[in-house]
Amino acid sequence: MNFIDLKRQYQAYRKEIDQAVLGVMDSTHFILGQEVEALERELSGFTGAPFAVGVSSGTDGLLLSLMALGAEKDTVIITTPFSFFATAEAIMLLGAEPAFCDIERESFNLDPHLLEDRINELEGLGKKVLGVIVVSIYGQCADMDAINRISKKRGLFVIEDACQSLGASYKGRMSGNLSLLSVTSFFPSKPLGCFGDGGMVFSQDEHLFEKIKAMRIHGDRGRYDHRYLGLNARLDAIQAAVLRAKLRHFEEEITLRQEASDRYMDLLSPLERKGMIGLPHIKKGCRSVFAQFTIRILEEDRDQVARALSELGIPTAIHYPRPLPLLEPLKRYGFRKGEFLVAEEAARQVLSLPMHAFIEEREQEEVARALFKVLDK
Ligand SMILES: *Cc1c(COP(=O)(O)O)cnc(C)c1O
C-alpha cells in the first residue's frame, strides 16, 4: 500500500497528460508562456482570486509574497508554530523575525483568539509587526474572517499559506481567495500536484500582482527593465501542462477524497469513542480537501504505533514531529518548550494515514483493521 498513490493517478489520466507534455516539447517553449498563462487564468477562475502568478514552488511563492510586502530586517511576521518548515524559513531567509501564535486543538490552525494579545505583546516590546501568515493545515482553512478582521484593525497584511488547501472552501469562498495574498504548492503529493516542483501566488491586489509577476523573473517588468530585486522563480510550461490536464479532474478528486475521509471516520469512530484516538474535526462552513487525513494517538506512544503499523504493511507519516519554534535554525530566538502547548501536544500525537483520491475501500479497511489490532488489544 502506498501513502499517496501517484501511479494510479497517472495511469488514470495518462493519455491526456502525455499529450499535454508532448505538446510543450513540440512547441519548445519551456518556461512561462501560454501554458502557464492558461493555468493562471484557470486557477484564478477556480479560486475566485482576481490575479494569479505561476511560480517555481510554494516556498518561492511565500518568499516572493513576503518580499513584495516588505518583510526585511527589523520586521516581525506572526505565524503558526504548527506547519511545514518552509513557512518560517521564508520569513527568516529575508532577515525578518518569526513570531508565533499557538493553534486551536480542534483544527490544528492558528487560534485567532490569541492573535491580538500576541500583537500587543510584540508591539509592546517595540517590534514592528508587518503581517500574519496563516497556514490552512491538512487542507482545512483557519478562521480567516476573524484573522482578517483583527489584522485589518491593526494594519497588518494576511498571507494564506494554502500549500495544502487548494480546493478547500471556507464559508462558501475558496482557499486562495481568503486574504490579500495566498500561496499554493504543486509539489507532487499536494492535493493538486505536478511532476516536479511548482506553485502559485494568488492576489486580491493588482499592484502586488504586477510586482510579484516581475519579481519571479528578477524584478523585470519587460526588456531588462529591472524594477525590483527578485528571484528566478518561474513555473515551467511542462508543469503547467501537467497541471491543466489534472485540473480537469480535480473537483472529482476532491469528492473522492471527501468520500474516503467519510469512510475513515466511520471505520475509526469506535476507537475515538473509546478515547484511543482523535479524528479530524472539520468546522461548520468548511470543506477540507484532506491533503492529509491526520488522527491523534491519545493513549499509546505515537511513534510506537507508527512502527507497529509499518510492520503490518501500513505506511504512515508524521506532519509534523516538532513545532517550528523548537527547530534548530530558530534556536537563536530562544523559544522554550511549554510556550506553545497546543502545538507541542499535536506534534507528539499526530499521525497521518494513507490518503489520496484513488485509495480503495478495502485498503482503508486494512488500515482500520491494523489500527484496531495495534490499539484495541
Ligand atoms: C508543501 C508546503 C510548503 C512548501 O511548498 P513547496 O512547493 O514544497 O516549496 C509550504 N508550506 C506548507 C504548509 C506546505 O505544506
Side-chain angles (χ1 to χ4, degrees):
M1 191 185 310
N2 289 310
F3 184 70
I4 293 177
D5 202 322
L6 294 175
K7 278 210 175 111
R8 276 184 211 164
Q9 191 193 41
Y10 178 45
Q11 289 310 329
Y13 318 139
R14 183 170 200 148
K15 268 202 189 120
E16 295 158 69
I17 293 174
D18 287 1
Q19 204 176 16
V21 170
L22 286 171
V24 174
M25 302 217 274
D26 273 331
S27 79
T28 67
H29 199 132
F30 296 119
I31 290 178
L32 297 176
Q34 279 179 18
E35 287 292 333
V36 172
E37 283 166 26
L39 180 71
E40 287 168 344
R41 274 195 307 278
E42 287 166 10
L43 281 179
S44 165
F46 178 80
T47 57
F51 307 101
V53 190
V55 295
S56 43
S57 69
T59 306
D60 288 338
L62 288 170
L63 210 48
L64 289 167
S65 300
L66 287 169
M67 284 163 70
L69 287 163
E72 58 183 357
K73 199 170 166 298
D74 297 325
T75 65
V76 176
I77 313 291
I78 299 175
T79 189
T80 164
F82 196 63
S83 178
F84 179 58
F85 179 55
T87 314
E89 188 183 33
I91 298 168
M92 293 170 65
L93 280 173
L94 295 172
E97 181 183 332
F100 298 95
C101 200
D102 210 352
I103 57 171
E104 300 173 333
R105 187 168 268 113
E106 273 186 338
S107 69
F108 299 97
N109 278 320
L110 191 147
D111 187 344
H113 296 100
L114 305 175
L115 182 58
E116 194 138 33
D117 280 351
R118 179 50 44 104
I119 298 168
N120 289 337
E121 186 190 321
L122 289 161
E123 290 186 347
L125 291 167
K127 307 231 182 208
K128 187 173 166 198
V129 184
L130 273 196
V132 184
I133 303 182
V134 192
V135 179
S136 302
I137 199 95
Y138 304 149
Q140 175 174 210
C141 297
D143 189 355
M144 293 303 282
D145 279 353
I147 293 166
N148 279 323
R149 191 175 56 244
I150 296 162
S151 303
K152 190 172 174 201
K153 192 169 92 185
R154 305 300 294 259
L156 310 184
F157 65 70
V158 177
I159 300 173
E160 184 196 6
D161 178 342
C163 287
Q164 302 183 5
S165 61
L166 190 70
S169 67
Y170 168 84
K171 299 185 183 175
R173 288 170 284 141
M174 297 298 280
S175 175
N177 189 28
L178 302 172
S179 57
L180 180 62
L181 292 178
S182 175
V183 180
T184 200
S185 164
F186 305 126
F187 184 78
S189 63
K190 307 283 176 170
L192 182 66
C194 62
F195 286 4
D197 279 304
M200 192 155 291
V201 179
F202 298 101
S203 176
Q204 295 180 336
D205 176 272
E206 187 165 11
H207 173 71
L208 277 171
F209 157 72
E210 293 291 351
K211 197 168 172 185
I212 290 168
K213 208 170 144 184
M215 280 178 149
R216 79 174 161 185
I217 175 166
H218 306 288
D220 189 354
R221 294 291 293 251
R223 297 186 188 279
Y224 301 102
D225 176 15
H226 298 276
R227 304 273 184 93
Y228 320 100
L229 285 182
L231 301 171
N232 173 357
R234 301 170 294 228
L235 183 64
D236 291 347
I238 286 180
Q239 301 306 342
V242 169
L243 288 163
R244 291 185 68 209
K246 283 199 187 184
L247 182 58
R248 292 198 282 276
H249 302 278
F250 192 43
E251 272 296 349
E252 191 182 304
E253 287 200 5
I254 294 169
T255 306
L256 289 169
R257 282 173 178 277
Q258 233 97 58
E259 286 168 8
S261 82
D262 288 347
R263 219 177 286 132
Y264 267 142
M265 300 278 197
D266 284 345
L267 286 165
L268 301 177
S269 62
L271 289 176
E272 185 177 55
R273 280 197 298 275
K274 289 183 181 177
M276 293 167 172
I277 65 167
L279 286 169
H281 189 281
I282 306 307
K283 290 193 165 184
K284 208 166 153 275
C286 285
R287 173 175 88 164
S288 174
V289 278
F290 288 99
Q292 309 297 344
F293 189 93
T294 304
I295 63 172
R296 286 177 190 266
I297 303 298
L298 294 175
E299 291 184 330
E300 312 257 334
D301 178 82
R302 187 264 323 272
D303 294 336
Q304 276 174 21
V305 171
R307 268 193 297 277
L309 288 170
S310 167
E311 278 161 21
L312 294 169
I314 308 297
T316 58
I318 297 166
H319 305 102
Y320 296 93
R322 289 176 77 182
L324 300 178
L326 301 181
L327 290 171
E328 193 66 29
L330 285 92
K331 253 198 173 142
R332 70 176 117 131
Y333 300 109
F335 295 112
R336 288 176 316 276
K337 263 197 177 138
E339 273 186 84
F340 306 99
L341 280 173
V342 188
E344 289 168 40
E345 180 192 58
R348 280 193 306 276
Q349 294 180 336
V350 290
L351 187 67
S352 302
L353 305 180
M355 172 53 115
H356 52 93
F358 293 84
I359 197 164
E360 288 171 9
E361 199 167 337
R362 59 167 183 85
E363 292 173 307
Q364 294 190 273
E365 285 163 3
E366 198 183 324
V367 172
R369 257 198 311 278
L371 260 171
F372 275 86
K373 197 165 167 188
V374 171
L375 293 176
D376 195 15
K377 293 181 239 34

